Amino acid sequence: MISFTSLAHSAILWTATPSPEPSLYPEYNGDVNLVTPGVVGFVATLFIAVATLLIIVDMNRRVRRVRYRELAQETIRNEQTLADGAIEGSGDVEGIDTSRAPDTDGPPTQRAD
């Protein structure tokens, strides 16, 4: 069982104000609004901004490349379907958008969206 003295001793220790622990850094006595990260902080922020910009440009280029590849594959599939004679003037072939079918007279073209 817990005795009254141990409870009183715990309460005193719990409510007592602890002494401050020693700090590794000396106390700053100047104006805290004048403290800046300095050149190191500027260089770190500049590095992060430039890296983010380069990543965005690279991602944009990769997404555009994937979109052009899909467009080229769709054009090739439509041309192969037309060449195989699947569309014989009816224009009602399942799964093929005949309204976007390329001309068979000239080379395939790509849209620049």
Side-chain angles (χ1 to χ4, degrees), residues 21-102:
E21 295 182 17
S23 175
L24 297 176
Y25 303 105
E27 184 179 337
Y28 181 71
N29 293 326
D31 185 13
V32 294
N33 294 325
L34 296 178
V35 177
T36 63
V39 176
V40 175
F42 174 75
V43 170
T45 305
L46 181 67
F47 173 75
I48 290 173
V50 169
T52 303
L53 183 66
L54 290 175
I55 288 172
I56 289 172
V57 167
D58 183 56
M59 182 183 64
N60 192 14
R61 186 175 57 220
R62 289 175 189 263
V63 168
R64 189 180 308 123
R65 187 181 308 150
V66 167
R67 193 173 43 196
Y68 286 153
R69 284 182 184 166
E70 178 60 32
L71 180 65
Q73 288 175 357
E74 180 183 341
T75 304
I76 289 170
R77 280 192 299 267
N78 285 341
E79 286 177 354
Q80 286 175 347
T81 305
L82 287 172
D84 289 341
I87 301 176
E88 296 181 10
S90 67
D92 294 333
V93 177
E94 247 182 73
I96 299 174
D97 186 8
T98 57
S99 64
R100 294 181 58 197

